[in-house]
Amino acid sequence: MALPTPDTLHLSRPEYATVYEPAEDTYLLLDALEKDRAELQALQPQICVEIGSGSGCVSAFLGQVLAPIQSLIISTDINPAANQATQETTAAIPSMAFEQCRTRFVQALDNRLQGNIDVLIFNPPYVVTPSSEIDVTAEASAWAGGAYGREVLDQLLPQIHTLLSQNGRFYLVVIEENKPEEIIGILAQHSLVGCRVLQRRAGRENLSILRFIRK
Ligand SMILES: C[S@@+](CC[C@H](N)C(=O)[O-])C[C@H]1O[C@@H](n2cnc3c(N)ncnc32)[C@H](O)[C@@H]1O
């Protein structure tokens, strides 16, 4: 039976005006996690991290995917309103332990998390924009990705292999303009094997979910 999409109705409140509302990219990510449910449960992940959690919809959904496995799900975002929204969204999943952290990527937790993340998820700001639009406002931080929509993601890519545990895996949302094959090539240099697990067209965006595991 399909898992329910987490409730994010509270995003209509004014304090959450800058928070990214779940959209087609979010839903494709939920579908990928649900498709991998048996594998994710078999992994028995102890620490999961979602970078850029926005509404918290994906973090909360991951909690549902993993239940009854007990895991710690850490959600980070640079937008404090997103941290608050994530806290509210994940509070509706009482069976799982959630923590929120306001930080870029996982910077504030880097030392603690090195080699310890079993499931890492990022739906980055992937839209192709002038570089000057990146992080101009909290809203822009949700979508403005600079050249090839890759400028934010490219800051994280060299760290992925150091963050993941031995059996860790990484789920990433991309559009074709981000050059998915090039991303797979970059992570392959760090012995991470990538593949497209889902692909869907949504308006002008050709969205894919890439999944990476160690060789
Ligand atoms: C496309 S939205 C995705 C939101 C949510 N994960 C979803 O799938 O609906 C990107 C999110 O990443 C956050 N973000 C952008 N740059 C970030 C960075 N360097 N570190 C952490 N979060 C970041 C934004 O504030 C925004 O909430």
Side-chain angles (χ1 to χ4, degrees):
M1 201 171 65
L3 293 169
T5 302
D7 184 352
T8 53
L9 282 177
H10 46 282
L11 289 190
S12 60
R13 297 212 304 268
E15 65 263 36
Y16 295 140
T18 61
V19 177
Y20 187 81
E21 287 206 28
E24 288 304 322
D25 47 342
T26 316
Y27 299 131
L28 190 63
L29 190 46
L30 301 192
D31 288 348
L33 295 173
E34 188 161 28
K35 188 166 175 260
D36 279 1
R37 188 178 189 186
E39 277 180 37
L40 285 164
Q41 289 199 349
L43 189 64
Q44 303 216 328
Q46 291 186 349
I47 298 182
C48 306
V49 176
E50 185 192 5
I51 296 174
S53 62
S55 65
C57 181
V58 177
S59 292
F61 191 80
L62 179 65
Q64 296 180 149
V65 165
L66 293 177
I69 307 291
Q70 283 301 304
S71 186
L72 171 62
I73 302 179
I74 302 171
S75 315
T76 76
D77 206 293
I78 50 173
N79 178 357
N83 302 137
Q84 185 61 40
T86 296
Q87 186 161 22
E88 213 167 314
T89 306
T90 55
I93 318 290
S95 54
M96 197 63 64
F98 293 97
E99 290 292 341
Q100 290 77 44
C101 181
R102 182 186 173 191
T103 187
R104 298 191 77 77
F105 305 112
V106 289
Q107 271 171 17
L109 304 160
D110 261 2
N111 294 339
R112 294 286 183 93
L113 292 177
Q114 289 289 330
N116 283 322
I117 301 179
D118 299 310
V119 180
L120 180 64
I121 301 174
F122 192 24
N123 178 5
Y126 58 66
V127 178
V128 178
T129 63
S131 304
S132 57
E133 286 186 20
I134 294 173
D135 287 347
V136 170
T137 60
E139 288 95 332
S141 295
W143 49 267
Y148 305 105
R150 280 270 297 276
E151 288 188 45
V152 177
L153 174 63
D154 281 353
Q155 294 169 44
L156 178 72
L157 288 182
Q159 285 185 64
I160 302 293
H161 71 290
T162 67
L163 290 170
L164 290 181
S165 65
Q166 206 48 47
N167 294 318
R169 49 174 62 201
F170 173 43
Y171 291 89
L172 174 68
V173 179
V174 292
I175 53 173
E176 285 312 293
E177 290 85 343
N178 302 154
K179 304 186 180 181
E181 297 308 325
E182 189 179 284
I183 296 170
I184 289 173
I186 291 169
L187 292 188
Q189 291 167 20
H190 300 293
S191 299
L192 293 171
V193 181
C195 67
R196 252 179 240 255
V197 286
L198 279 181
Q199 189 165 13
R200 186 177 299 159
R201 182 165 276 286
R204 283 186 308 180
E205 289 183 346
N206 191 352
L207 291 158
S208 293
I209 307 299
L210 305 184
R211 182 187 60 206
F212 296 88
I213 54 174
R214 282 191 200 283
K215 218 175 249 175

